[in-house]
Amino acid sequence: MPTPAQLAQRQGALMSDPFAHIPLVTPLNATQLQSLGVPDGWAYGMADRVRFHELDALNHVNNVAYFRWFESVRIPYFAHVHVTNYEDSDPQVVLASNYARYFKPLHLGDNYVIATRTKSFRNSSFVLEYGTYMNGALMCAADCLVVTLEQDGVTKRPLRAETVEAFLSEGAEGPA
C-alpha cells in the first residue's frame, strides 16, 4: 500500500506530465521512443498511462494487462511491416507462444512505453520482442512466436517479400 507521500508524489507526477508532447496509444518512431528513454534499437512503439482497471489486488499492473498492451502495439506493427491488414487475402496470423519477464511493477497513473521489433524470422514465422519502459527503465521484457498461415488455417504461408525487407531493415536475423 503506498504511503501518503508516495501518493502525493504520483499526483505531482500526473500534474507535470513528461508525456505531454507525446500522443498516447499512437504509433511512435525511433526518435520519439528515444525522447522517452527507450534505448537505441527500437523503432516502433506506443506510449500510454496505467489505468485503474489494469491493476490487481496488490495495486500494481496485473500480468494480463501487459499481454493486452502487447496486442495493442502488435496489430498496428503488423500493418507497418506488411504482415497483415486483416483483409480476406491476407495470411492468418497465429501466436504460437507468448512469454514475459517482469522486472519492476507499474502503478496507477504511471506513464510507460511499449516498444516492439522483430528479433528473427524464418520462411513463415518470426519472433517479436517487446520492451515495456518507464523513465528509461525496463519494467517488462517479452517475446512471442508468430506463424503465418493460409486461409485454411493449416498450411504455412511464406512471409511477403516486403515483410522480409522490413524485418531486415530493422535488424532482424533471417534464415541463412
Side-chain angles (χ1 to χ4, degrees):
M1 191 81 168
T3 66
Q6 289 171 321
L7 288 173
Q9 181 182 13
R10 285 191 196 142
Q11 186 63 29
L14 290 175
M15 302 297 258
S16 61
D17 187 359
F19 279 43
H21 69 289
I22 297 293
L24 299 182
V25 197
T26 301
L28 304 175
N29 62 35
T31 303
Q32 291 169 310
L33 292 171
Q34 289 171 8
S35 78
L36 296 171
V38 175
D40 289 341
W42 299 92
Y44 195 91
M46 288 185 177
D48 207 350
R49 182 171 292 127
V50 176
R51 292 169 178 79
F52 180 78
H53 71 272
E54 296 166 326
L55 303 179
D56 62 17
L58 299 175
N59 203 31
H60 58 67
V61 173
N62 186 284
N63 60 352
V64 171
Y66 287 90
F67 287 97
R68 289 183 182 129
W69 297 346
F70 300 153
E71 180 180 54
S72 294
V73 74
R74 183 173 57 244
I75 301 307
Y77 176 77
F78 282 172
H80 176 71
V81 294
H82 315 289
V83 171
T84 183
N85 286 315
Y86 295 94
E87 297 173 4
D88 290 342
S89 62
D90 285 345
Q92 287 191 11
V93 181
V94 176
L95 257 59
S97 67
N98 246 340
Y99 177 76
R101 294 163 305 285
Y102 305 96
F103 303 113
K104 297 177 184 177
L106 287 167
H107 300 93
L108 181 64
D110 285 344
N111 292 318
Y112 65 89
V113 177
I114 301 286
T116 191
R117 62 186 172 197
T118 301
K119 177 180 179 179
S120 61
F121 65 94
R122 296 177 57 157
N123 186 45
S124 60
S125 63
F126 54 99
V127 175
L128 282 182
E129 288 183 303
Y130 304 99
T132 306
Y133 291 90
M134 184 179 81
N135 300 325
L138 182 61
M139 310 302 278
C140 176
D143 55 51
C144 69
L145 174 63
V146 180
V147 179
T148 55
L149 301 174
E150 295 291 352
Q151 287 301 319
D152 65 9
V154 176
T155 308
K156 291 182 179 180
R157 182 170 179 172
L159 298 171
R160 300 173 181 169
E162 59 264 27
T163 300
V164 170
E165 185 178 318
F167 287 169
L168 291 171
S169 73
E170 62 180 31
E173 296 177 16

